[in-house]
Amino acid sequence: MANYGIISLIWRHKMTNQVCIIGAGASGLLAAISAKNNGADVYILERNLKIGKKILATGNGRCNFTNVDANEYHYNHPAFVKQIFGQFGPDKTLDFFEKLGIVPKIEDEGKTYPLSEQASSIVDVLQYEINRLSIHVHFDEFVNKIEKKNGRYLIKTKSKTYEADKVIIATGGMTLPKSGSDGSGYALAKYLGHQITNVFPALVKLELDYPYLKHMDGVKIKAEAELISNNKILHTEYGDVLFTKFGISGPTILQISRKANELLYKKQEAFIKVKLIDHLDYKALFERFKMQHEKTIEMAMIGLIPKKLIHPILKESGLNHFNDQVHNLSGKTLNRIISLLFDWRFLITGSKGFDDAQVTAGGICIDHVDAMTLESKLQKGIYFTGEVLDIDALCGGYNLQWAWSSGYIAGKYAAITT
Ligand SMILES: Cc1cc2nc3c(=O)[nH]c(=O)nc-3n(C[C@H](O)[C@H](O)[C@H](O)COP(=O)(O)OP(=O)(O)OC[C@H]3O[C@@H](n4cnc5c(N)ncnc54)[C@H](O)[C@@H]3O)c2cc1C
């Protein structure tokens, strides 16, 4: 009997996977909790002195932690994401966080926040759970190499070498590098034989080449914005558009920015088209100008568009004297003004970069990652989660949802497979 006890203890010990998670961000924390709940011996290596630094910056400090419509798969590799969401999707995520104490507050377009409207609530409950499960987080540990030796992994930081059966790389992308995610995970993956696709900032403000931007700085409008390339509309959004001295911003532009940067990366010309007038058609606008024919053109545009946009529109129409009366304008000039109000185009020259972006497009190529388990197809026992992978999505809680889902699934399989 006693022998059976010892044998089963040794057997259980042998069956317990020791899982090392690199990164205590959104996906790493979920991976740790999931691995521990599935029976693994878990620890985390984090370069910062705290967990979840980036989470605190999300949703303007409110943390748009999921989207109840996340099953719409607004991702660059929807089929891959679908396999993970099929196992742990938005519903299970809401459930997971509700059990930790987060009451969800659903706003427009399915965006979901904690009722407290504080991103720190999410970090606090995750910290509580990590403590409750006795998961050790080794802070101030920057991992610079992972090697395999005698069937186990050696995880090297500046001063120490850790060991584990399984390693989950949850190091994030390259956005907001001061939060700790500066792309170092790509080097770890590359060393293990993985390919990294082109990485560029997404969900980011765009820079424009337009001579009157200084004049337009600070103007915020609700408008339709379109991404145009080769005279084809590639993406349309409606909502807040903000002009700045360097270019254009606002939620609509962030959504468009991924595709825009992709085009720029491929050296293709891309434009943002803004439709300033929404409720009137061409004929109605023409009539409106005709009725105000005695006014100066500048005055006739008051009440139609924000004042700071009037001079740029008139200048672009070829006018230098804004006090010309409407009835003195040629039909061609009036036509040009009206056309610009419906179709104002700006050449995109770049974006604000990783410091300002919300997500990284590109990353570890998914071709060599198992879509069910997130285990590397090249290195057994290595898993990837979150933004370090070539997965990104639109704004609206989708990126964190990917981080939670992928973290949870990788943690589970790292714990249960031998
Ligand atoms: C300003 C901002 C606002 C955002 N708002 C939202 C939002 O409201 N909703 C949404 O869905 N998404 C939002 N996102 C995106 C979302 O935050 C990320 O997609 C998500 O946090 C990615 O999670 P992750 O676990 O992959 O990486 P991260 O959360 O970046 O975590 C990576 C962790 O790994 C650590 N690390 C990195 N390299 C190493 C190393 N070599 N050794 C040890 N540790 C390392 C880092 O310090 C960090 O703690 C926002 C992003 C930004 C920048």
Side-chain angles (χ1 to χ4, degrees), residues 94-370:
L94 280 173
D95 218 45
F96 172 88
F97 278 106
E98 283 207 71
K99 283 193 181 119
L100 293 191
I102 298 294
V103 180
K105 180 173 187 264
I106 300 167
E107 296 190 356
D108 55 319
E109 293 162 348
K111 291 177 191 158
T112 308
Y113 301 83
L115 190 58
S116 64
E117 307 216 19
Q118 287 182 318
S120 59
S121 304
I122 299 281
V123 178
D124 287 346
V125 298
L126 289 171
Q127 178 73 71
Y128 181 90
E129 191 64 359
I130 291 283
N131 294 347
R132 191 184 73 78
L133 294 170
S134 304
I135 296 170
H136 193 81
V137 188
H138 300 266
F139 290 110
D140 204 11
E141 287 288 33
F142 178 82
V143 175
N144 50 39
K145 208 173 211 177
I146 304 168
E147 283 173 344
K148 201 165 191 181
K149 200 174 173 195
N150 302 331
R152 289 198 17 114
Y153 284 102
L154 303 180
I155 306 108
K156 297 190 174 177
T157 67
K158 206 169 167 195
S159 55
K160 283 190 198 151
T161 298
Y162 294 82
E163 282 192 37
D165 301 304
K166 309 285 182 82
V167 181
I168 300 179
I169 298 179
T171 47
M174 290 184 71
T175 54
L176 201 68
K178 65 179 182 207
S179 72
S181 46
D182 60 359
S184 66
Y186 303 142
L188 299 175
K190 233 175 169 173
Y191 186 77
L192 295 166
H194 280 267
Q195 278 170 18
I196 314 299
T197 65
N198 294 328
V199 291
F200 54 89
L203 307 187
V204 65
K205 300 163 185 161
L206 294 175
E207 293 172 339
L208 304 174
D209 177 17
Y210 195 67
Y212 315 120
L213 284 176
K214 262 196 193 141
H215 194 81
M216 294 149 63
D217 185 25
V219 175
K220 188 174 157 192
I221 50 171
K222 267 217 182 320
E224 185 183 276
E226 284 179 338
L227 177 69
I228 312 257
S229 186
N230 277 331
N231 267 322
K232 277 200 196 112
I233 301 167
L234 301 178
H235 192 135
T236 305
E237 288 283 336
Y238 180 85
D240 287 340
V241 172
L242 176 70
F243 290 103
T244 68
K245 53 181 176 297
F246 61 81
I248 197 161
S249 168
T252 48
I253 301 304
L254 297 195
Q255 301 290 42
I256 285 174
S257 64
R258 187 205 196 275
K259 188 80 199 154
N261 268 347
E262 197 182 320
L263 292 169
L264 295 187
Y265 199 89
K266 291 181 189 157
K267 305 251 176 294
Q268 289 179 28
E269 219 174 34
F271 296 86
I272 289 281
K273 171 183 155 185
V274 175
K275 191 176 174 197
L276 288 175
I277 302 290
D278 206 27
H279 305 296
L280 299 173
D281 61 11
Y282 188 97
K283 199 165 161 247
L285 259 186
F286 196 82
E287 287 303 316
R288 188 183 179 278
F289 279 120
K290 241 170 80 181
M291 271 167 57
Q292 307 197 59
H293 66 100
E294 285 182 350
K295 285 185 181 169
T296 63
I297 180 63
E298 184 177 11
M299 199 57 215
M301 287 177 75
I302 295 279
L304 198 60
I305 59 172
K307 204 168 183 173
K308 275 175 135 185
L309 302 186
I310 295 176
H311 284 193
I313 288 277
L314 293 181
K315 278 185 188 161
E316 200 177 327
S317 309
L319 276 179
N320 288 317
H321 308 291
F322 310 132
N323 50 6
D324 285 350
Q325 286 172 301
V326 174
H327 59 229
N328 283 335
L329 297 180
S330 67
K332 204 171 151 198
T333 305
L334 200 55
N335 253 333
R336 177 108 182 96
I337 294 168
I338 296 174
S339 300
L340 279 173
L341 293 173
F342 291 112
D343 183 348
W344 199 12
R345 290 193 191 201
F346 306 91
L347 179 68
I348 305 168
T349 52
S351 77
K352 281 315 246 182
F354 287 110
D355 283 344
D356 249 287
Q358 286 193 15
V359 75
T360 309
I364 297 168
C365 178
I366 57 161
D367 292 352
H368 300 125
V369 179
D370 186 300

Side-chain angles (χ1 to χ4, degrees), residues 23 27 46-48 58-59 64 141 143 172 180-181 184 358 387 397 400:
S27 69
E46 166 57 54
R47 69 190 297 186
N48 290 330
T58 59
N64 176 194
E141 287 288 33
V143 175
S181 46
S184 66
Q358 286 193 15
E387 212 178 300
L400 276 172

Side-chain angles (χ1 to χ4, degrees), residues 25-40:
S27 69
L29 292 167
L30 263 274
I33 292 167
S34 160
K36 184 78 187 199
N37 282 333
N38 280 288

